[in-house]
Amino acid sequence: QNCIGHHRRLPWRWVGGPIDTTVEFQVEALGPARTRGCVEQRGFVGLRAWVVSAVLQLGWRKLLGKELPRALQRLRSRWLRCE
């Protein structure tokens, strides 16, 4: 059994300004030490919401492309020290 177990999806409602969306995080075990993650934000309706989605897309790219790997590396370093 992997660490993910049955909890593979986490939907989260994001409301603010012109948007009322759902952000869904999904994970999938690829092996004993590998996991694939996916984030999808949907529910953008109207021109203003579409503009907001374009701005948020840049933020998600930075968060998932740079900040998340850094945070995971810091966690990994801490876990290795505890072993």
Side-chain angles (χ1 to χ4, degrees):
Q1 168 136 9
N2 58 52
C3 295
I4 295 171
H6 298 290
H7 307 286
R8 296 171 190 232
R9 296 177 54 245
L10 174 64
W12 170 38
R13 188 170 176 205
W14 185 333
V15 179
I19 65 169
D20 184 350
T21 63
T22 299
V23 178
E24 185 170 285
F25 301 90
Q26 295 183 35
V27 292
E28 174 187 3
L30 300 177
R34 295 184 61 211
T35 303
R36 175 184 294 144
C38 178
V39 177
E40 181 181 5
Q41 187 171 10
R42 57 186 173 276
F44 294 97
V45 177
L47 181 59
R48 287 181 65 208
W50 181 84
V51 171
V52 170
S53 77
V55 172
L56 291 175
Q57 187 175 32
L58 296 173
W60 280 118
R61 283 188 180 153
K62 179 180 179 189
L63 178 69
L64 298 174
K66 294 181 181 175
E67 302 303 327
L68 181 61
R70 287 181 192 156
L72 292 174
Q73 183 59 41
R74 285 193 303 270
L75 286 172
R76 184 174 183 268
S77 296
R78 289 180 190 158
W79 286 333
L80 291 176
R81 285 191 301 243
C82 293
E83 294 181 335

